[in-house]
């Protein structure tokens, strides 16, 4: 989400910096370092939960609401979608080893 990677284009780096600043404004108790490590909606919700003392049930909708206002799509880093991307990669020949049936 906010974490910059070496392969990000300048526009992506700028957008992530803008989103980090918006998140910092929304949650001033978060440090820039903490925000720079956030990769997914779930990461942000866990950070909000940890630093604000809220429960997971309270933090998740707060983060989702902020993301909607900021124009950020729902978490694309969750495990089911990550598994789908891995499955797509494997079906397109990305896997080098054959899997053995369980």
């Amino acid at each position: 989400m906010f974490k910059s990677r070496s392969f990000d284009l300048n526009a992506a780096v700028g957008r992530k910096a803008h989103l980090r600043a918006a998140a910092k404004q929304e949650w001033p108790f978060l440090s820039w370092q903490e925000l720079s490590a956030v990769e997914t909606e779930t990461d942000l919700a866990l950070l909000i939960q940890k630093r604000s003392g809220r429960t997971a049930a309270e933090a998740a909708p707060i983060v989702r609401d902020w993301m909607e206002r900021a124009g950020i799509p729902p978490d694309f880093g969750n495990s089911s979608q990550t598994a789908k991307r891995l499955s797509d990669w494997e079906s397109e020949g990305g896997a080098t080893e054959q899997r053995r049936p369980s």
Side-chain angles (χ1 to χ4, degrees), residues 4-93:
S4 293
R5 295 173 180 84
S6 61
F7 56 84
D8 284 342
L9 300 176
N10 286 338
V13 171
R15 172 131 172 89
K16 289 178 180 187
H18 173 75
L19 291 173
R20 274 192 306 270
K24 179 72 172 160
Q25 186 173 4
E26 184 78 13
W27 300 290
F29 54 86
L30 297 180
S31 73
W32 290 105
Q33 185 176 10
E34 289 171 322
L35 288 169
S36 293
V38 170
E39 293 189 51
T40 66
E41 175 182 350
T42 303
D43 293 344
L44 183 56
L46 288 171
L47 185 58
I48 299 297
Q49 176 186 352
K50 175 182 162 187
R51 299 278 280 122
S52 70
R54 295 180 185 272
T55 66
E58 293 169 331
I62 290 169
V63 169
R64 176 58 57 96
D65 178 62
W66 176 80
M67 288 178 62
E68 288 175 3
R69 287 185 282 120
I72 304 170
D75 193 356
F76 55 88
N78 68 36
S79 60
S80 65
Q81 290 181 346
T82 300
K84 181 176 179 352
R85 285 195 304 266
L86 178 59
S87 172
D88 291 346
W89 174 75
E90 289 174 341
S91 69
E92 293 170 0

